[in-house]
Short mmCIF file of all heavy atoms in Angstrom, two decimals:
data_model
loop_
_atom_site.label_atom_id
_atom_site.label_comp_id
_atom_site.label_asym_id
_atom_site.label_seq_id
_atom_site.Cartn_x
_atom_site.Cartn_y
_atom_site.Cartn_z
N ASN A 1 12.53 9.11 7.70
CA ASN A 1 11.92 8.65 8.98
C ASN A 1 12.90 7.92 9.92
O ASN A 1 14.07 7.63 9.49
CB ASN A 1 10.64 7.93 8.66
CG ASN A 1 10.89 6.62 7.92
OD1 ASN A 1 11.69 5.86 8.20
ND2 ASN A 1 10.28 6.52 6.67
N ALA A 2 12.37 7.52 11.04
CA ALA A 2 13.34 6.81 12.00
C ALA A 2 13.85 5.53 11.44
O ALA A 2 15.11 5.20 11.69
CB ALA A 2 12.63 6.61 13.34
N GLN A 3 13.10 4.81 10.58
CA GLN A 3 13.61 3.59 10.08
C GLN A 3 14.60 3.74 9.07
O GLN A 3 15.69 3.09 8.97
CB GLN A 3 12.40 2.71 9.54
CG GLN A 3 11.49 2.12 10.71
CD GLN A 3 10.73 3.13 11.41
OE1 GLN A 3 10.21 4.11 10.84
NE2 GLN A 3 10.61 2.97 12.74
N THR A 4 14.39 4.69 8.08
CA THR A 4 15.27 4.97 7.01
C THR A 4 16.54 5.71 7.49
O THR A 4 17.57 5.43 6.85
CB THR A 4 14.61 5.82 5.80
OG1 THR A 4 14.25 7.06 6.42
CG2 THR A 4 13.36 5.03 5.33
N MET A 5 16.40 6.53 8.50
CA MET A 5 17.54 7.21 8.95
C MET A 5 18.43 6.55 10.04
O MET A 5 19.47 6.92 10.35
CB MET A 5 17.16 8.57 9.33
CG MET A 5 16.70 9.47 8.26
SD MET A 5 18.04 9.91 6.97
CE MET A 5 17.24 9.52 5.50
N GLY A 6 17.73 5.68 10.69
CA GLY A 6 18.48 4.94 11.81
C GLY A 6 18.58 5.76 13.00
O GLY A 6 19.52 5.53 13.96
N CYS A 7 17.72 6.79 13.27
CA CYS A 7 17.64 7.55 14.56
C CYS A 7 16.31 8.22 14.57
O CYS A 7 15.58 8.37 13.58
CB CYS A 7 18.85 8.58 14.54
SG CYS A 7 18.59 10.02 13.36
N PRO A 8 15.92 8.72 15.71
CA PRO A 8 14.59 9.42 15.86
C PRO A 8 14.64 10.69 14.92
O PRO A 8 15.57 11.33 14.73
CB PRO A 8 14.61 9.95 17.30
CG PRO A 8 15.45 8.98 18.04
CD PRO A 8 16.51 8.66 17.09
N VAL A 9 13.47 10.89 14.21
CA VAL A 9 13.31 12.06 13.19
C VAL A 9 12.11 12.85 13.72
O VAL A 9 10.98 12.27 14.00
CB VAL A 9 13.09 11.41 11.87
CG1 VAL A 9 12.71 12.60 10.98
CG2 VAL A 9 14.34 10.74 11.32
N TYR A 10 12.27 14.19 13.85
CA TYR A 10 11.35 15.11 14.05
C TYR A 10 11.08 16.04 12.99
O TYR A 10 12.03 16.38 12.21
CB TYR A 10 11.69 15.85 15.48
CG TYR A 10 11.82 14.94 16.66
CD1 TYR A 10 13.10 14.46 17.07
CD2 TYR A 10 10.67 14.51 17.27
CE1 TYR A 10 13.20 13.68 18.20
CE2 TYR A 10 10.77 13.70 18.47
CZ TYR A 10 12.08 13.29 18.82
OH TYR A 10 12.16 12.43 20.00
N TYR A 11 9.88 16.57 12.88
CA TYR A 11 9.57 17.57 11.83
C TYR A 11 8.98 18.83 12.52
O TYR A 11 8.33 18.85 13.58
CB TYR A 11 8.57 16.95 10.93
CG TYR A 11 9.11 16.10 9.86
CD1 TYR A 11 9.12 14.65 10.08
CD2 TYR A 11 9.58 16.52 8.62
CE1 TYR A 11 9.75 13.81 9.05
CE2 TYR A 11 10.10 15.70 7.68
CZ TYR A 11 10.15 14.38 7.91
OH TYR A 11 10.74 13.55 6.95
N CYS A 12 9.03 19.88 11.69
CA CYS A 12 8.52 21.22 12.09
C CYS A 12 7.77 21.78 10.90
O CYS A 12 8.19 21.54 9.71
CB CYS A 12 9.65 21.98 12.50
SG CYS A 12 9.34 23.84 12.99
N ILE A 13 6.68 22.48 11.07
CA ILE A 13 5.80 23.02 9.93
C ILE A 13 6.50 24.25 9.37
O ILE A 13 6.87 25.26 10.13
CB ILE A 13 4.32 23.22 10.39
CG1 ILE A 13 3.52 23.34 9.09
CG2 ILE A 13 4.21 24.37 11.31
CD1 ILE A 13 2.01 23.13 9.45
N GLY A 14 6.50 24.49 8.05
CA GLY A 14 6.94 25.62 7.42
C GLY A 14 5.82 26.40 6.78
O GLY A 14 4.74 25.93 6.65
N ASN A 15 6.19 27.54 6.15
CA ASN A 15 5.15 28.44 5.63
C ASN A 15 4.47 27.72 4.29
O ASN A 15 3.40 27.84 3.99
CB ASN A 15 5.61 29.83 5.18
CG ASN A 15 6.92 29.78 4.39
OD1 ASN A 15 7.99 29.31 4.84
ND2 ASN A 15 6.90 30.30 3.28
N HIS A 16 5.36 26.97 3.64
CA HIS A 16 4.88 26.29 2.39
C HIS A 16 4.26 24.94 2.73
O HIS A 16 3.87 24.17 1.84
CB HIS A 16 6.05 26.07 1.41
CG HIS A 16 6.52 27.35 0.76
ND1 HIS A 16 5.74 28.42 0.44
CD2 HIS A 16 7.80 27.75 0.57
CE1 HIS A 16 6.45 29.42 -0.03
NE2 HIS A 16 7.68 29.04 -0.04
N ASP A 17 4.21 24.56 3.98
CA ASP A 17 3.45 23.38 4.41
C ASP A 17 2.03 23.72 4.89
O ASP A 17 1.31 22.78 5.38
CB ASP A 17 4.24 22.70 5.58
CG ASP A 17 5.73 22.37 5.18
OD1 ASP A 17 5.88 22.07 3.95
OD2 ASP A 17 6.63 22.55 6.05
N LEU A 18 1.71 25.02 4.90
CA LEU A 18 0.37 25.30 5.19
C LEU A 18 -0.43 25.47 3.85
O LEU A 18 -0.36 26.41 3.11
CB LEU A 18 0.33 26.73 5.90
CG LEU A 18 0.92 26.79 7.32
CD1 LEU A 18 1.27 28.19 7.75
CD2 LEU A 18 -0.10 26.17 8.26
N VAL A 19 -1.17 24.27 3.60
CA VAL A 19 -1.75 24.14 2.28
C VAL A 19 -3.25 24.13 2.37
O VAL A 19 -3.81 24.33 3.44
CB VAL A 19 -1.27 22.78 1.55
CG1 VAL A 19 0.20 22.73 1.41
CG2 VAL A 19 -1.75 21.69 2.53
N LYS A 20 -3.95 24.05 1.24
CA LYS A 20 -5.34 24.25 1.20
C LYS A 20 -6.08 23.14 2.01
O LYS A 20 -5.67 22.01 1.80
CB LYS A 20 -5.89 24.43 -0.30
CG LYS A 20 -5.52 25.68 -0.91
CD LYS A 20 -6.12 25.70 -2.38
CE LYS A 20 -5.73 26.96 -3.07
NZ LYS A 20 -6.29 27.08 -4.45
N GLY A 21 -7.12 23.42 2.62
CA GLY A 21 -7.92 22.44 3.40
C GLY A 21 -8.84 23.16 4.25
O GLY A 21 -9.06 24.36 4.08
N ASN A 22 -9.50 22.42 5.24
CA ASN A 22 -10.27 23.20 6.26
C ASN A 22 -9.42 24.15 7.14
O ASN A 22 -10.00 25.18 7.54
CB ASN A 22 -10.84 22.21 7.27
CG ASN A 22 -11.90 21.19 6.52
OD1 ASN A 22 -12.65 21.71 5.76
ND2 ASN A 22 -11.73 19.92 6.86
N TYR A 23 -8.18 24.04 7.20
CA TYR A 23 -7.23 24.94 7.84
C TYR A 23 -5.90 24.54 7.32
O TYR A 23 -5.65 23.44 6.86
CB TYR A 23 -7.32 24.91 9.32
CG TYR A 23 -7.17 23.51 9.95
CD1 TYR A 23 -5.96 22.99 10.32
CD2 TYR A 23 -8.35 22.79 10.21
CE1 TYR A 23 -5.94 21.66 10.94
CE2 TYR A 23 -8.36 21.56 10.82
CZ TYR A 23 -7.07 21.11 11.15
OH TYR A 23 -7.06 19.79 11.66
N GLY A 24 -4.97 25.56 7.29
CA GLY A 24 -3.63 25.37 6.66
C GLY A 24 -2.87 24.18 7.08
O GLY A 24 -2.16 23.59 6.26
N GLU A 25 -2.89 23.81 8.37
CA GLU A 25 -2.12 22.70 8.83
C GLU A 25 -2.70 21.38 8.81
O GLU A 25 -2.20 20.41 9.27
CB GLU A 25 -1.60 23.07 10.22
CG GLU A 25 -2.66 23.08 11.41
CD GLU A 25 -3.27 24.40 11.58
OE1 GLU A 25 -3.26 25.16 10.62
OE2 GLU A 25 -3.78 24.58 12.67
N GLU A 26 -3.92 21.37 8.21
CA GLU A 26 -4.63 20.03 8.24
C GLU A 26 -3.95 18.90 7.74
O GLU A 26 -3.87 17.77 8.23
CB GLU A 26 -5.90 20.18 7.62
CG GLU A 26 -6.95 18.98 7.61
CD GLU A 26 -8.28 19.20 6.95
OE1 GLU A 26 -8.31 20.02 5.89
OE2 GLU A 26 -9.24 18.57 7.31
N LEU A 27 -3.40 18.98 6.44
CA LEU A 27 -2.61 17.96 5.84
C LEU A 27 -1.41 17.62 6.56
O LEU A 27 -1.11 16.37 6.84
CB LEU A 27 -2.26 18.26 4.40
CG LEU A 27 -1.56 17.18 3.54
CD1 LEU A 27 -2.32 15.93 3.49
CD2 LEU A 27 -1.18 17.75 2.21
N TYR A 28 -0.67 18.56 6.98
CA TYR A 28 0.56 18.31 7.85
C TYR A 28 0.20 17.52 9.05
O TYR A 28 0.94 16.44 9.35
CB TYR A 28 1.27 19.62 8.26
CG TYR A 28 2.32 19.50 9.20
CD1 TYR A 28 3.62 19.51 8.61
CD2 TYR A 28 2.14 19.38 10.62
CE1 TYR A 28 4.75 19.35 9.49
CE2 TYR A 28 3.24 19.26 11.38
CZ TYR A 28 4.53 19.21 10.88
OH TYR A 28 5.66 19.11 11.63
N GLU A 29 -0.83 17.89 9.77
CA GLU A 29 -1.18 17.11 10.93
C GLU A 29 -1.57 15.71 10.69
O GLU A 29 -1.36 14.84 11.52
CB GLU A 29 -2.27 17.83 11.69
CG GLU A 29 -2.07 19.19 12.36
CD GLU A 29 -3.23 19.72 13.13
OE1 GLU A 29 -4.44 19.33 12.84
OE2 GLU A 29 -2.96 20.59 13.92
N SER A 30 -2.24 15.43 9.56
CA SER A 30 -2.75 14.14 9.15
C SER A 30 -1.57 13.18 8.97
O SER A 30 -1.68 11.97 9.09
CB SER A 30 -3.61 14.18 8.02
OG SER A 30 -2.95 14.47 6.80
N ILE A 31 -0.38 13.70 8.65
CA ILE A 31 0.84 12.90 8.36
C ILE A 31 1.84 12.95 9.47
O ILE A 31 2.49 11.96 9.90
CB ILE A 31 1.44 13.35 7.02
CG1 ILE A 31 0.51 13.20 5.88
CG2 ILE A 31 2.68 12.48 6.65
CD1 ILE A 31 0.85 13.83 4.53
N TYR A 32 2.16 14.16 9.95
CA TYR A 32 3.24 14.54 10.90
C TYR A 32 2.87 14.67 12.34
O TYR A 32 3.77 14.81 13.14
CB TYR A 32 4.11 15.65 10.39
CG TYR A 32 4.63 15.38 8.92
CD1 TYR A 32 4.00 15.78 7.86
CD2 TYR A 32 5.88 14.74 8.82
CE1 TYR A 32 4.49 15.55 6.56
CE2 TYR A 32 6.40 14.50 7.55
CZ TYR A 32 5.66 14.84 6.37
OH TYR A 32 6.19 14.66 5.21
N GLY A 33 1.59 14.96 12.59
CA GLY A 33 1.16 15.08 14.00
C GLY A 33 1.08 16.54 14.41
O GLY A 33 0.93 17.46 13.59
N PRO A 34 1.28 16.76 15.69
CA PRO A 34 1.04 18.15 16.20
C PRO A 34 2.15 19.07 15.72
O PRO A 34 3.27 18.74 15.36
CB PRO A 34 1.30 17.86 17.80
CG PRO A 34 1.97 16.64 17.84
CD PRO A 34 1.62 15.80 16.70
N THR A 35 1.75 20.38 15.64
CA THR A 35 2.81 21.44 15.10
C THR A 35 3.49 22.04 16.27
O THR A 35 4.48 22.82 16.03
CB THR A 35 1.95 22.50 14.40
OG1 THR A 35 0.99 23.03 15.17
CG2 THR A 35 1.30 21.95 13.06
N TRP A 36 3.21 21.65 17.46
CA TRP A 36 4.02 22.02 18.58
C TRP A 36 4.09 20.96 19.68
O TRP A 36 3.17 20.28 19.93
CB TRP A 36 3.56 23.40 19.30
CG TRP A 36 2.25 23.48 19.85
CD1 TRP A 36 1.81 22.92 21.03
CD2 TRP A 36 1.07 24.01 19.24
NE1 TRP A 36 0.53 23.18 21.29
CE2 TRP A 36 -0.06 23.90 20.22
CE3 TRP A 36 0.79 24.71 18.04
CZ2 TRP A 36 -1.31 24.43 19.87
CZ3 TRP A 36 -0.44 25.22 17.80
CH2 TRP A 36 -1.39 25.05 18.73
N TYR A 37 5.36 20.74 20.14
CA TYR A 37 5.67 19.67 21.03
C TYR A 37 7.11 19.77 21.53
O TYR A 37 7.76 20.65 21.13
CB TYR A 37 5.47 18.19 20.33
CG TYR A 37 6.37 18.13 19.09
CD1 TYR A 37 7.62 17.42 19.23
CD2 TYR A 37 5.98 18.43 17.85
CE1 TYR A 37 8.42 17.24 18.09
CE2 TYR A 37 6.76 18.36 16.70
CZ TYR A 37 8.02 17.75 16.88
OH TYR A 37 8.78 17.58 15.74
N SER A 38 7.44 18.79 22.48
CA SER A 38 8.82 18.94 23.01
C SER A 38 9.28 17.51 23.21
O SER A 38 8.57 16.54 23.32
CB SER A 38 8.79 19.78 24.31
OG SER A 38 7.90 19.12 25.29
N PHE A 39 10.58 17.47 23.41
CA PHE A 39 11.26 16.16 23.71
C PHE A 39 12.62 16.41 24.50
O PHE A 39 13.16 17.55 24.39
CB PHE A 39 11.51 15.26 22.50
CG PHE A 39 12.31 15.98 21.41
CD1 PHE A 39 13.69 15.74 21.32
CD2 PHE A 39 11.74 16.73 20.53
CE1 PHE A 39 14.48 16.28 20.31
CE2 PHE A 39 12.49 17.44 19.47
CZ PHE A 39 13.83 17.11 19.39
N ASP A 40 13.08 15.50 25.27
CA ASP A 40 14.20 15.71 26.03
C ASP A 40 15.32 14.74 25.55
O ASP A 40 15.07 13.59 25.32
CB ASP A 40 14.08 15.42 27.57
CG ASP A 40 13.16 16.43 28.15
OD1 ASP A 40 13.02 17.60 27.59
OD2 ASP A 40 12.64 16.23 29.24
N VAL A 41 16.65 15.24 25.54
CA VAL A 41 17.72 14.41 25.20
C VAL A 41 18.91 14.97 26.11
O VAL A 41 19.11 16.11 26.21
CB VAL A 41 18.22 14.58 23.77
CG1 VAL A 41 19.54 13.72 23.61
CG2 VAL A 41 17.13 13.99 22.82
N GLY A 42 19.56 13.96 26.92
CA GLY A 42 20.48 14.51 27.84
C GLY A 42 19.96 15.42 28.82
O GLY A 42 18.85 15.15 29.50
N ASN A 43 20.54 16.60 29.02
CA ASN A 43 19.97 17.62 29.86
C ASN A 43 19.35 18.77 29.11
O ASN A 43 19.10 19.88 29.73
CB ASN A 43 21.18 18.21 30.77
CG ASN A 43 20.70 19.05 31.93
OD1 ASN A 43 19.75 18.56 32.70
ND2 ASN A 43 21.13 20.29 32.04
N VAL A 44 18.99 18.56 27.87
CA VAL A 44 18.41 19.56 27.09
C VAL A 44 16.90 19.29 26.78
O VAL A 44 16.53 18.17 26.48
CB VAL A 44 19.18 19.77 25.68
CG1 VAL A 44 18.61 20.81 24.97
CG2 VAL A 44 20.56 19.99 25.95
N HIS A 45 16.06 20.30 26.99
CA HIS A 45 14.68 20.34 26.61
C HIS A 45 14.53 20.93 25.30
O HIS A 45 14.73 22.18 25.11
CB HIS A 45 13.89 21.12 27.71
CG HIS A 45 12.35 20.94 27.55
ND1 HIS A 45 11.69 19.79 27.53
CD2 HIS A 45 11.44 21.92 27.29
CE1 HIS A 45 10.51 20.04 27.35
NE2 HIS A 45 10.20 21.31 27.23
N TYR A 46 14.20 20.11 24.29
CA TYR A 46 13.92 20.67 22.89
C TYR A 46 12.52 20.98 22.65
O TYR A 46 11.64 20.09 22.92
CB TYR A 46 14.47 19.63 21.92
CG TYR A 46 16.04 19.42 21.93
CD1 TYR A 46 16.54 18.31 22.62
CD2 TYR A 46 16.86 20.26 21.28
CE1 TYR A 46 17.94 18.08 22.67
CE2 TYR A 46 18.22 20.02 21.28
CZ TYR A 46 18.77 19.01 21.98
OH TYR A 46 20.08 18.85 22.03
N VAL A 47 12.31 22.16 22.10
CA VAL A 47 10.90 22.53 21.86
C VAL A 47 10.76 22.86 20.39
O VAL A 47 11.47 23.70 19.83
CB VAL A 47 10.47 23.76 22.77
CG1 VAL A 47 9.18 24.41 22.35
CG2 VAL A 47 10.55 23.44 24.24
N VAL A 48 9.69 22.37 19.82
CA VAL A 48 9.36 22.60 18.40
C VAL A 48 8.08 23.44 18.40
O VAL A 48 7.08 23.18 19.02
CB VAL A 48 9.02 21.24 17.66
CG1 VAL A 48 8.51 21.56 16.25
CG2 VAL A 48 10.23 20.39 17.57
#
């Protein structure tokens, strides 16, 4: 995470992160947030 690594940390969902629940990404969302988002650094628009 940002504190242990000393820089901003971002995550992306994988096929093995879609686990049992009301829907596959439910657990991921409860810990890591949205499965699509964007952020800017310098002149680059980064999209997850």
Side-chain angles (χ1 to χ4, degrees):
N1 57 58
Q3 286 69 44
T4 60
M5 291 294 130
C7 71
V9 173
Y10 297 99
Y11 280 92
C12 182
I13 194 167
N15 55 295
H16 295 319
D17 303 324
L18 291 161
V19 298
K20 290 182 179 180
N22 293 317
Y23 49 90
E25 68 271 26
E26 183 180 29
L27 180 59
Y28 177 95
E29 287 184 341
S30 71
I31 302 170
Y32 300 91
T35 58
W36 58 82
Y37 58 92
S38 62
F39 58 95
D40 290 346
V41 177
N43 192 49
V44 182
H45 186 59
Y46 292 98
V47 171
V48 174

